[in-house]
Amino acid sequence: MKILVLNCGSSSIKYQFIDTEIAITLAKGMVERIGMAGAVLSHTPHGKEKIRIVGEILDHTIALEYVIAVLMSPNHGVIKEKEEIDAVGHRVVHGGETFSGSVLITNEVMRAIKENIELAPLHNPPNIKGIEATMKHLPETPQVAVFDTAFHSRMPSYAYHYGLPRTLYKRHKIRKYGFHGTSHRFVSQRAAFMTGYEIEDLKIITAHLGNGASMAAIKNGISIDTTMGFTPLEGLLMGTRTGDMDPSVILYIMGKEGLSLGEANTLMNKHSGLLGISGESSDMREIEEQIAEGNKRAKEAFDVFTYRIKKYIGAYAAAMGGLDVLVFTGGIGENSVNVRKAVCDNMEFLGIELDANRNENANEETELSSSASRVKILKIPTNEELVIALDTEKIVNEISRSEPPEDGTVAFN
Ligand code: ADP
């Protein structure tokens, strides 16, 4: 099946066109600066050079028109007509408590995604724009929503409740939701495959370390806890986000510095984390370069980053009553030899022993643990687009075999 995977942001659309039968991305690209001067579409067909098209792209509907046109273009395209797009899979950030798996998009589902806008005011609206644009250009093509939150939807209530009055949970749905679920799901399933065990028999910690970073405790295939919370701000230190912090700190700063709600939000999300502590960069590669040049603030940022990961490994091993597999993924998890080394240092008491040689020479999917290590340490490149494509295929196959249920929900975890 040929599936167009869309990840729509406020001013961008990332896409991959995947042939699930041969598991190949036929083309991928991105439209940037939607609604701004000098919007750009960059497009890379499989095995060919990247091309760039600059144009006036006022909204997501026009952006998608460009994407479909370039997919069909005689020189850079990979299909002849748009009917060759069998289905469209969308990354949708917030499924709230409504969605515990991927679903076929129906009017009912759209209403529910819209109801969750309050929980993700920056993310769900552009996701909705992408779905509506697809409805305009490909009205006959089935669309599927794959939620970042869904994999964490079976967390026990003692893991997701905050210590706030219950009315706030009832009135405003304030609780931990967790994000990066598609990635945590993918790498935990790959981890089970790589170790040769059933996922139902494993206790896995997955560390998705990118600009945004989160960890999950996955016991018997179920995410029982995760570091991100009501929003992606909680948990690990990130490129520009604070992660865990005494909530009183922000009230104190707002008072002292006279910050508005919006300014406080920007401070915690955009000016903090690695960038805030180092004063240099939000990018781990640059942090490591600075450390090599003797920059102490960069080293401090690196230490805060790795220390938190270490702490959560201990916490999640306790939460699961043991640990079998530790997975590193995301740009930093997949590429930073130093971060993996610092995280695994002195963790023998938990059965975690990194093999220095394997760590330094890791490419693609690899085991990094020493032969003495009780815990398997794995590097697994994440592939959220493939998960979205496979979920989409599964749901479309399901509905073509039977009539869709009234509300359109066909859940896959
Ligand atoms: P996003 O969350 O935006 O998808 P990525 O998963 O692409 O982010 O991760 C980006 C992060 O990965 C950046 O901090 C980048 O510096 C880091 N990274 C990529 N390659 C390396 C490397 N070789 N060494 C250290 N960090 C790296």
Side-chain angles (χ1 to χ4, degrees), residues 208-212 282-286 288 330-332 335-336:
H208 177 112
L209 312 175
N211 283 317
S282 62
D283 187 290
M284 185 53 85
R285 245 173 319 199
E286 289 175 18
E288 291 190 29
I332 300 171
N335 297 302
S336 176

Side-chain angles (χ1 to χ4, degrees), residues 109-301:
V109 167
M110 275 300 267
R111 260 195 298 279
I113 298 175
K114 285 180 180 166
E115 275 166 19
N116 285 322
I117 285 179
E118 269 196 328
L119 295 174
L122 297 180
H123 293 106
N124 275 20
N127 299 156
I128 290 165
K129 279 186 191 165
I131 296 169
E132 286 172 345
T134 310
M135 282 172 181
K136 284 206 183 101
H137 294 300
L138 302 164
E140 304 299 325
T141 311
Q143 299 191 64
V144 166
V146 179
F147 300 92
D148 260 23
T149 48
F151 183 55
H152 305 299
S153 67
R154 293 162 78 188
M155 243 187 297
S157 61
Y158 56 77
Y160 70 65
H161 272 308
Y162 293 119
L164 289 165
R166 183 171 286 274
T167 40
L168 295 172
Y169 167 62
K170 293 219 167 117
R171 210 184 290 157
H172 303 297
K173 301 181 183 163
I174 309 285
R175 51 159 282 183
K176 181 188 274 283
Y177 290 97
F179 299 87
H180 287 149
T182 315
S183 175
H184 290 296
R185 170 159 61 114
F186 176 74
V187 297
S188 59
Q189 286 168 352
R190 289 299 308 162
F193 177 81
M194 284 171 76
T195 55
Y197 287 94
E198 296 296 324
I199 197 163
E200 290 75 15
D201 297 329
L202 288 172
K203 294 170 181 139
I204 305 174
I205 293 177
T206 47
H208 177 112
L209 312 175
N211 283 317
S214 71
M215 290 166 65
I218 301 164
K219 188 177 182 184
N220 309 335
I222 294 168
S223 169
I224 63 153
D225 204 349
T226 187
T227 55
M228 284 179 168
F230 178 65
T231 72
L233 192 56
E234 192 180 339
L236 302 179
L237 191 82
M238 302 178 218
T240 58
R241 295 188 190 124
T242 59
D244 292 337
M245 185 174 72
D246 177 348
S248 304
V249 169
I250 199 64
L251 302 177
Y252 186 80
I253 298 171
M254 286 172 80
K256 283 277 179 198
E257 304 275 332
L259 299 188
S260 67
L261 275 179
E263 286 165 339
N265 199 29
T266 307
L267 171 72
M268 292 187 293
N269 279 289
K270 303 257 190 243
H271 300 299
S272 301
L274 291 173
L275 174 65
I277 296 178
S278 71
E280 294 284 347
S281 173
S282 62
D283 187 290
M284 185 53 85
R285 245 173 319 199
E286 289 175 18
I287 293 285
E288 291 190 29
E289 281 162 19
Q290 291 291 327
I291 295 172
E293 287 170 18
N295 184 322
K296 290 208 173 73
R297 292 187 310 184
K299 176 71 168 72
E300 227 163 29

